[in-house]
Amino acid sequence: GGGGGGRGRERSRSKSREMRRLEKEREREEQRRKEEEEERRRQVEDATRGDRTVMIVCLHHKADERDVYEFFSGNAGKVRDVQIIRDARTGRSKGVAYIEFYLQESTLKALALSGQPIKGQAVRVQPSQAEKNRAAQAAKAAISYTAPREAPLRLYVGGLVDSLANISEEELKKLFSPFGEIEFIDLHRDPYTNKCKGFAFVQFKNASEAREAMTAMNGFQLAGKELKVGIATSDMQLDGAGPGGPNLSLGNSGSMLDSLGDDASSAGPNANPGLLRDANDRLALMQKLQGSQSMSAMPTLAPLGQPGGGQPSTVIVLHGMFNPNQVNIHNDPEFFNDIEADVEQECRKYGAVNKVWPDQASTRGDVWVRFADITSASNCLRALDRRWFAGQQIIAEFTTEAAWAATVR
């Protein structure tokens, strides 16, 4: 009966294998249960975190985490975490911070501090609604409840004029994305100047987050001006009647909403009122020089009224188009050819260009451009003069045929 014994051993082996398998499954189940427990606990904590967190705006751009921590610890209660929102590239504060407290009643005290100065500048304290809503939804979902899918909602943002006429989609996104996921931003630009026509549409994926953004951002004070934010109606795109101005026409930029100064996403509101007058995105050339995707938003110091000097002629010189100290022909042999091509492409938008010549020996980063006629040269000069780019301001001025003949080789 040796065969029978073999079969018995086989059976008991498969039995112990089965036991091991069950044991493993139980362990896995236990592990999964622990993780779910942990996740649920975390979500419940997240849900209360919103109630324990406030958002401050209009924070002085020199104020750091310690200043904020000390101010709120002293006046509101024990602070658990301070987060100042900073520009990823420059590390400069955007004037917005989140403060998380240990106790919920501290947030009520903190809200009462709105209008008090930190580093001599009054801050605005508001509940961090966005985080709270998201966390509450997550906690509900954790308790096996699926929130109904929300519809997207489009907001109208007005007041993007004057120093904000050069605002980019990217900057608008930074301003509105703390409230929730943005599906798209539609910035209306003037086809000739490429400046913003004074308004934009921002579409949020979830209507509740859009409404939150509207509540927080409508009347948002920036450098003494305010944003107008409302729900975009379907007729708005067609006839352009915006909530901020009945005849905010989309066809021309004649009627603008009132202006809005600097914006929290660049720096503290009083850092410099022109902070968003950024070097118009069309200057792709600038991006190359900067070696980065975003243009550096810089204050426009020069008065914008009078374009560069000199008697109008067909020849203009653009100063500050490159930094002579940073040119390394060895590493980037095509540097000047690229500049020539980029400048030519940009200048062609204003008329017929005869020749573009980067002056490699100039100490001011000069590029000379000769147009076929004076009108084209004037249009180009007006568009490029006093633009900021890569931390340098471009100065455009007319020069004479004689100077061209003497300099350009």
Side-chain angles (χ1 to χ4, degrees), residues 255-276:
S255 86
M256 289 269 193
L257 292 178
D258 64 350
S259 102
L260 151 76
D262 149 3
D263 127 60
S265 82
S266 290
N270 66 354
N272 208 305
L275 218 83
L276 271 192

Side-chain angles (χ1 to χ4, degrees), residues 197-330:
K197 284 189 179 177
F199 61 96
F201 295 104
V202 178
Q203 179 154 319
F204 279 87
K205 190 173 175 188
N206 297 324
S208 63
E209 292 172 341
R211 289 200 170 86
E212 223 168 85
M214 176 176 79
T215 313
M217 299 303 287
N218 186 36
F220 189 77
Q221 288 282 332
L222 297 171
K225 307 284 169 70
E226 58 181 52
L227 274 182
K228 289 194 167 64
V229 183
I231 291 173
T233 53
S234 52
D235 57 332
M236 210 177 267
Q237 278 87 327
L238 307 173
D239 65 10
N247 60 344
L248 182 83
S249 140
L250 295 169
N252 64 28
S253 48
S255 86
M256 289 269 193
L257 292 178
D258 64 350
S259 102
L260 151 76
D262 149 3
D263 127 60
S265 82
S266 290
N270 66 354
N272 208 305
L275 218 83
L276 271 192
R277 203 167 283 162
D278 102 354
N280 192 317
D281 291 350
R282 275 175 323 129
L283 293 174
L285 142 76
M286 309 319 184
Q287 297 173 341
K288 168 175 170 43
L289 297 182
Q290 209 176 332
S292 123
Q293 286 325 292
S294 71
M295 305 295 251
S296 71
M298 292 292 278
T300 302
L301 304 175
L304 289 176
Q306 191 36 51
Q311 278 300 307
S313 78
T314 56
V315 182
I316 64 174
V317 183
L318 304 171
H319 305 290
M321 289 306 295
F322 55 93
N323 183 338
N325 308 325
Q326 289 171 7
V327 178
N328 185 333
I329 291 299
H330 182 67

